[in-house]
Amino acid sequence: MNQSVEQIKDKIEKILQAELPQKPSSEWLLETFGTDQALSQKGLDGLMIPTRQLVDQGGKRWRPVFMVLCAMMATDDQKKIEDAYKLCPLLEFVHTASLIHDDIEDRADERRGKPCAYITYGLDTALNAGAWLYFKAANCMQKLDLEDAQKVACHELYQMELRRLHLGQAMDIAWHREPGFFPTVQEYQQMVQLKTGTLSCMAARLGFLAAQKDKALIQRAGLVAAGIGMGFQVLDDVQNLTSGNPGKKRGDDIIEGKKSLPVLLHVQERPQDKEKIASLFERAAKEGIQSPAIEETIVLLESSGSIKKAFDFGNQAASQKALELTSLLEDNGSGAKQAILDLFAKIQR
């Protein structure tokens, strides 16, 4: 492989920094707003500072890395691979925007170890900045070295996946706002395919699109990759109930009343516990992160083995779908296939 995953990630970081510069140039302002005249610095700061801070705080960046690896797996044409790199903000900025809004909707306190944007900058500023970043993300498509029809396909893909992402989020919100309601495991899988799977789906499709593969193969790659995203989300939910997610506190999903897979597997096996879990969710929401109800819920879920079952499900989904994706194409000697398998093996730990 000509580039290591770390080298790919370093290049992605430089692209993200250039797309959200600390000191915007006249060229950047014209590209982003259509003018570089009479722009209020306070107005710019209200967009740039909250979004830039969250990007600067880090993140796995696995989605844009995955997209570039998909392109490298699909072609050895460096110009086409460069187009994949140009699309990195489309994935990472959408993800960042969704985190800003997700924290507002969940009334979360921290993100990546610091107060959430709406707490630091105010609800109005955070809402506006997050919404702006969805649109700023799309700017990168103007720079693609593709035929007009391919650019149109890229825009259509972006719009469809964003609509799907918001539907998944709507389902999740509706469920955790009603403590006594428990969706089926199948409904949960559908929600996660939309909410989290959509960005991994988009990553694979964009990588194959940049490599100028045919429509049927692009569609197939996205469907398979959505399963990787679902596995990742399940593992993320398990981590919340075990070691805790980086920059967040163990069990804060319980405060939110999140109907994660460990919860649903438990009530599927022990439906008589539904009322008890709903009561624990309500207590945790009232008492906050120090509530004894959090650990009581975790102990209850552990008693049925549902956390371990969810972990195994997430691992299997991510690994099997990654293997299926890499089997869609002949090996071109780039090493991208193995890098994709290794990428998700690392995420699973």
Side-chain angles (χ1 to χ4, degrees), residues 266-318:
H266 182 92
V267 300
Q268 181 177 263
E269 182 176 326
R270 301 181 186 177
Q272 68 273 18
D273 285 347
K274 284 184 179 181
E275 188 174 332
K276 183 175 184 179
I277 290 175
S279 176
L280 288 169
F281 279 168
E282 290 180 302
R283 273 184 56 203
K286 290 177 182 176
E287 296 171 359
I289 198 63
Q290 303 301 325
S291 173
I294 293 173
E295 293 305 318
E296 287 180 44
T297 305
I298 294 173
V299 169
L300 183 62
L301 298 178
E302 288 174 336
S303 71
S304 66
S306 66
I307 295 178
K308 175 64 166 58
K309 290 173 187 174
F311 177 79
D312 291 342
F313 174 89
N315 261 334
Q316 186 176 33

Side-chain angles (χ1 to χ4, degrees), residues 24-78:
S25 65
S26 177
E27 181 183 10
W28 185 91
L29 292 170
L30 284 167
E31 175 189 287
T32 305
F33 301 107
T35 181
D36 63 350
Q37 301 296 314
L39 294 177
S40 162
Q41 188 59 49
K42 280 189 175 295
L44 285 172
D45 287 349
L47 297 175
M48 302 288 289
I49 292 177
T51 53
R52 174 74 186 238
Q53 179 176 309
L54 191 50
V55 170
D56 285 348
Q57 283 171 221
K60 296 182 179 73
R61 306 288 194 249
W62 69 265
R63 296 165 183 86
V65 169
F66 177 44
M67 178 187 63
V68 171
L69 289 173
C70 283
M72 293 175 69
M73 179 175 70
T75 184
D76 57 6
D77 186 326
Q78 288 303 309

